[in-house]
Amino acid sequence: MHLGRSSFWGLATSLLACTTASGTNNSLPAIEIKGNAYFDSESGERFYIRGVAYQPGGSSNLTDPLGDPQICSRDVPVFKDLGLNAVRVYTVDNTQDHTECMQMLADAGIYVILDVNTPDSSISRFDPACSYNADYLQTIFATIDSFAQFSNILGFFAGNEVINDDTNTNTATYVKAVVRDMKKYMRARNYRQIPVGYSAADVTSNVQLAAHYFNCGDDEDARIDMFGVNDYSWCGYSSFQESGYSVKVKDYSNYSVPIFLSEFGCIKTTPRPFTEIGSIYSTQMSSVFSGGLVYEYSMEANNYGLVQIDDGSSVTKLQDFQNSKNQYQDNPNPEGDGNYSQNNNISACPSYQQGTWEANNTLPPMPSAASVFFSMGAGQPMGTGYPTQFRCGDANVSDYFTADATSSSIISSSKSSSSSKSSASSSSFSSSSSSSSHVSSGTTSSKSSSKSKGGALAAAQIPLVFRAMGHIWNYIL
């Protein structure tokens, strides 16, 4: 893996902006949104997500599966055998070339739902205001630059389970700001307007509040285009009524954008029979839900895997694989449009209530230093080992560009950027890792990387450590 600041970076980003406007990967038609459902942009048929969560190695052995053609060559045929049309990937390395793997997936008829965060670069549950900074936006914009060209990108997730209990609902304000910034960035760079959404933890007290919050307000850019729920309420041989699925359909019946199960697959009964698939792809749910993704592809420490990875070239298909495959095969999509809703209204914003819902309906402005990315692109991608969560304050955005691409305006704008430090505290010192809820999430790891921008990364480590110690001490007090 090479960092290398190419002297042609400015030219490359300009060419990328031109080519991605129309899309260089045309093997699959883009999926578009109408009302609360997905549709194939060419055939006009309703599209239901039939997918799997895909992050082999988990957070303990973080690997970008879309950056290694050998991994893709091993797994894509297994996806086809399973009958998938989508995978969800939680962490990618934006310094890698993903062309070959994305083409393999497209040739197999498979779309990608991509989380743009990394464990080291995401909105922090502990200090969301500090973590929402220009360096953080650069990392997610660089990931958009890496993937916007592919027509089989179904959507981006701006956050995964950032809200995971009653103590950190204030983080939603900053995630919603990220949704806004991502959508504006894609428009400024002349990219296809790829749907941007949020994947929520199924926290009974606030998951519906989160759904309505992310889908409310007058600013269309700040509203999500899709909503995912990580849901494990159907266990074993349950039913539409017993599992609570019937209640979820009722609760979201008037929601105006597509909803799907961004993770499902309770392991209280093993091997899992996956009988929920029969309801997910039926008219019981099709008027509201647009499919889902089984958690997860590979067997990790949490024991949710469908396959056991043997080595770089082979996997062993477990009984959960066969059971989910059978259910996918036995339960085709509903005929026609599935009774989707075209004209549901956007949600009413939930009111602030201390201890229950503490998200602000007035979003923070984008850090001013990040505005240069709209005109020049994100510049040099920094990879997965680049911590940004405690970089509140000035951002040296000129470091992301080569000398010939750097202008005085970049330097000037970077000096003017600052972000206020949040006074809110959380019950745990953790971040909104891009990894799934069932994989140990990275928080403030300062893992070194050959892709770091010179001494900037090393310089960041000292204040990061002391700041973390201070936060922990204050929490103890």
Side-chain angles (χ1 to χ4, degrees):
M1 300 191 299
H2 304 285
L3 174 61
R5 294 188 185 180
S6 168
S7 60
F8 298 104
W9 177 258
L11 175 60
T13 53
S14 298
L15 290 173
L16 180 62
C18 293
T19 57
T20 56
S22 58
T24 58
N25 174 1
N26 295 313
S27 299
L28 284 180
I31 300 302
E32 60 185 11
I33 292 173
K34 296 179 183 178
N36 71 341
Y38 296 107
F39 289 85
D40 184 303
S41 61
E42 290 186 2
S43 70
E45 294 181 356
R46 175 89 183 262
F47 181 89
Y48 296 86
I49 295 167
R50 291 172 169 265
V52 71
Y54 180 52
Q55 196 75 49
S59 62
S60 62
N61 183 25
L62 196 61
T63 302
D64 177 358
L66 304 183
D68 188 336
Q70 184 176 0
I71 292 176
C72 295
S73 296
R74 177 194 68 200
D75 294 337
V76 171
V78 184
F79 298 156
K80 288 186 67 175
D81 185 30
L82 188 55
L84 304 183
N85 63 13
V87 295
R88 177 187 178 184
V89 180
Y90 295 84
T91 300
V92 292
D93 182 343
N94 56 23
T95 68
Q96 300 298 307
D97 182 357
H98 301 93
T99 305
E100 193 169 346
C101 283
M102 290 300 292
Q103 191 61 55
M104 287 185 204
L105 290 166
D107 291 343
I110 296 172
Y111 292 83
V112 175
I113 300 168
L114 182 64
D115 292 62
V116 296
N117 295 286
T118 72
D120 288 314
S121 190
S122 53
I123 295 297
S124 168
R125 297 188 187 110
F126 187 78
D127 196 346
C130 180
S131 63
Y132 175 63
N133 55 59
D135 290 303
Y136 165 62
L137 291 178
Q138 191 275 341
T139 66
I140 62 175
F141 290 167
T143 297
I144 291 173
D145 287 344
S146 296
F147 284 90
Q149 63 182 296
F150 302 114
S151 67
N152 59 326
I153 288 288
L154 190 151
F156 294 124
F157 274 142
N160 176 63
E161 297 196 348
V162 187
I163 303 165
N164 66 351
D165 59 33
D166 293 333
T167 68
N168 48 41
T169 58
N170 64 310
T171 59
T173 302
Y174 299 91
V175 176
K176 193 167 182 176
V178 174
V179 171
R180 173 199 64 197
D181 299 343
M182 289 173 64
K183 291 166 77 171
K184 288 186 174 181
Y185 180 76
M186 284 188 281
R187 186 180 305 112
R189 302 306 298 160
N190 294 318
Y191 293 146
R192 172 172 67 92
Q193 285 300 113
I194 297 167
V196 178
Y198 175 73
S199 177
D202 189 24
V203 179
T204 303
S205 60
N206 58 44
V207 64
Q208 288 185 56
L209 293 171
H212 293 308
Y213 176 78
F214 286 115
N215 188 38
C216 78
D218 296 331
D219 186 352
E220 184 177 358
D221 285 327
R223 299 197 303 265
I224 56 172
D225 303 309
M226 61 185 190
F227 188 68
V229 182
N230 297 340
D231 184 279
Y232 294 85
S233 58
W234 186 305
C235 296
Y237 294 92
S238 189
S239 69
F240 182 63
Q241 298 292 336
E242 181 183 355
S243 65
Y245 273 30
S246 59
V247 176
K248 291 177 173 63
V249 169
K250 181 179 179 180
D251 288 342
Y252 294 112
S253 61
N254 295 316
Y255 206 62
S256 65
V257 300
I259 299 178
F260 59 96
L261 301 178
S262 41
E263 294 174 9
F264 71 86
C266 170
I267 59 170
K268 289 183 178 179
T269 298
T270 56
R272 293 175 286 179
F274 290 108
T275 51
E276 63 264 53
I277 288 175
S279 285
I280 294 171
Y281 303 98
S282 74
T283 54
Q284 288 179 316
M285 297 183 68
S286 62
S287 63
V288 177
F289 283 85
S290 292
L293 301 113
V294 172
Y295 188 84
E296 66 179 319
Y297 176 70
S298 56
M299 182 62 73
E300 309 296 342
N302 50 28
N303 294 319
Y304 280 82
L306 302 183
V307 306
Q308 181 72 53
I309 295 176
D310 301 324
D311 52 39
S313 60
S314 65
V315 301
T316 297
K317 298 172 183 177
L318 306 175
Q319 187 60 48
D320 276 11
F321 176 94
Q322 192 59 50
N323 291 349
S324 57
K325 175 182 175 179
N326 291 342
Q327 289 290 340
Y328 273 137
Q329 288 179 339
D330 293 343
N331 294 281
N333 296 333
E335 294 182 0
D337 63 19
N339 297 317
Y340 86 107
S341 298
Q342 174 71 49
N343 299 310
N344 287 347
N345 294 324
I346 64 172
S347 301
C349 291
S351 300
Y352 181 97
Q353 185 177 349
Q354 187 172 0
T356 299
W357 187 255
E358 299 182 353
N360 197 325
N361 289 321
T362 301
L363 304 184
M366 186 183 73
S368 58
S371 62
V372 69
F373 303 134
F374 282 40
S375 60
M376 297 190 65
Q380 176 182 302
M382 305 306 292
T384 58
Y386 184 58
T388 66
Q389 288 180 332
F390 295 106
R391 293 189 177 188
C392 40
D394 292 343
N396 296 316
V397 298
S398 59
D399 288 345
Y400 298 113
F401 300 91
T402 56
D404 58 336
T406 304
S407 67
S408 59
S409 63
I410 299 175
I411 298 172
S412 175
S413 65
S414 69
K415 289 180 178 178
S416 66
S417 171
S418 64
S419 51
S420 61
K421 195 171 163 73
S422 171
S423 61
S425 64
S426 160
S427 63
S428 62
F429 180 51
S430 59
S431 73
S432 61
S433 168
S434 59
S435 14
S436 170
S437 57
H438 300 282
V439 180
S440 299
S441 61
T443 53
T444 57
S445 169
S446 57
K447 180 174 115 184
S448 62
S449 169
S450 61
K451 302 176 193 64
S452 61
K453 53 180 185 183
L457 179 59
Q461 303 310 320
I462 295 176
L464 184 148
V465 170
F466 282 107
R467 187 185 296 273
M469 292 173 63
H471 284 325
I472 296 172
W473 178 249
N474 287 336
Y475 173 67
I476 294 172
L477 293 177

